[in-house]
Amino acid sequence: MAATGEALTPQGYIQHHLTNLSVGEGFWTWHIDSLLFSVGLGVLFLWLFRSVGKKATTGVPGKLQCFIEMIVEFVDSSVKETFHGRNPVIAPLALTIFIWVFMMNFMDMVPVDWIPSLAAAAGIPYMKVVPTTDLNITFSLAIGVFVLIIYYSIKVKGVSGFVKELTLQPFNHWAMIPVNLLLETVTLIAKPISLALRLFGNLYAGELIFILIALMYGANMALSALGVSLQLGWLIFHILVITLQAFIFMMLTIVYLSMAHEDH
């Protein structure tokens, strides 16, 4: 249903659920719903882990403490196996990325009409609840990783070493500098683009499938029953997708930062 209470066509229903609550125009458009949910989930993550850390006991841990310790150990082992340098920032960064991206992805598990319907009842016309289906959010995360790649590349190798890496690889000859610079620049820029588009594409497609299945409800009893089965099946499968995408984003970040710490 639209915020005005008018029935939507199937095309209008899909468009309504894929539209962000926005203010501003052009480049300065702000997606309020994406910012609200991404920042809110980030604050929830920090509060939850901090509260568990403060109450942690050396005795028999509670279920929540045990679960968080398992996640921390899993991320820590992943960093030790993949990152070959020495940097105390990498493990906390990897944990933050994994949990934060997973929590944003997990919003896809909320039935597609619940929060938009509550927002419509409050007079809010649009409410998109999965931040990682917004290209602005995934690119923001990827650009943050890209800045760290550049920073640590220069910090470890120096400005001259970083420039040499861009101009003297893979062909170590002055005549091949333009070719090397082109190849290495494309490779460097492809890192944040691939991070952003992979996460966005998978979550956007998953959300779209949930919306298409939701269109089956209310058509007739047969389609409604089929929709329930499809919704349950896709929900179970999508749990794997959202976890895998968070893991891939984390692992690629670790790999890229490990490469930035390698001084050739």
Side-chain angles (χ1 to χ4, degrees), residues 108-121:
D108 218 1
M109 300 292 101
V110 180
V112 295
D113 285 326
W114 282 12
I115 297 179
S117 296
L118 291 174

Side-chain angles (χ1 to χ4, degrees), residues 129-178:
V129 302
V130 188
T132 43
T133 60
D134 187 346
L135 197 55
N136 294 284
I137 296 297
T138 59
F139 259 107
S140 298
L141 293 170
I143 289 172
V145 174
F146 183 67
V147 170
L148 289 175
I149 293 172
I150 301 298
Y151 170 76
Y152 283 115
S153 294
I154 295 175
K155 182 179 180 181
V156 173
K157 304 161 190 173
V159 175
S160 61
F162 182 54
V163 172
K164 288 179 181 179
E165 188 176 73
L166 294 177
T167 56
L168 297 177
Q169 290 189 75
F171 307 109
N172 190 12
H173 192 280
W174 66 267
M176 299 300 292
I177 286 179

Side-chain angles (χ1 to χ4, degrees), residues 101 105 132-133 135 138-139 142 190-206 241-242 244-253 256:
V101 172
N105 292 350
T132 43
T133 60
L135 197 55
T138 59
F139 259 107
K191 291 176 181 178
I193 293 177
S194 63
L195 276 176
L197 293 181
R198 180 184 291 106
L199 180 60
F200 166 76
N202 281 278
L203 270 295
Y204 188 89
V241 173
I242 64 175
L244 184 60
Q245 289 306 311
F247 175 74
I248 290 174
F249 201 102
M250 177 193 75
M251 289 303 299
L252 287 178
T253 299
Y256 293 155

Side-chain angles (χ1 to χ4, degrees), residues 14-22 33 126-128:
I14 294 172
Q15 186 65 35
H16 180 268
H17 279 70
L18 295 178
T19 302
N20 288 97
L21 176 66
S22 305
D33 43 12
Y126 302 104
M127 185 60 67
K128 195 174 176 185

Side-chain angles (χ1 to χ4, degrees), residues 58-122:
T58 56
V60 179
K63 293 181 179 179
L64 181 58
Q65 180 184 334
C66 184
F67 177 69
I68 289 180
E69 286 179 354
M70 289 172 60
I71 295 175
V72 172
E73 290 175 4
F74 166 73
V75 173
D76 186 59
S77 63
S78 299
V79 172
K80 289 179 179 178
E81 293 172 1
T82 308
F83 186 77
H84 304 300
R86 294 179 63 87
N87 191 328
V89 173
I90 304 302
L93 175 66
L95 177 65
T96 301
I97 288 175
F98 178 68
I99 299 299
W100 195 18
V101 172
F102 175 80
M103 292 176 72
M104 289 191 287
N105 292 350
F106 193 80
M107 293 300 293
D108 218 1
M109 300 292 101
V110 180
V112 295
D113 285 326
W114 282 12
I115 297 179
S117 296
L118 291 174

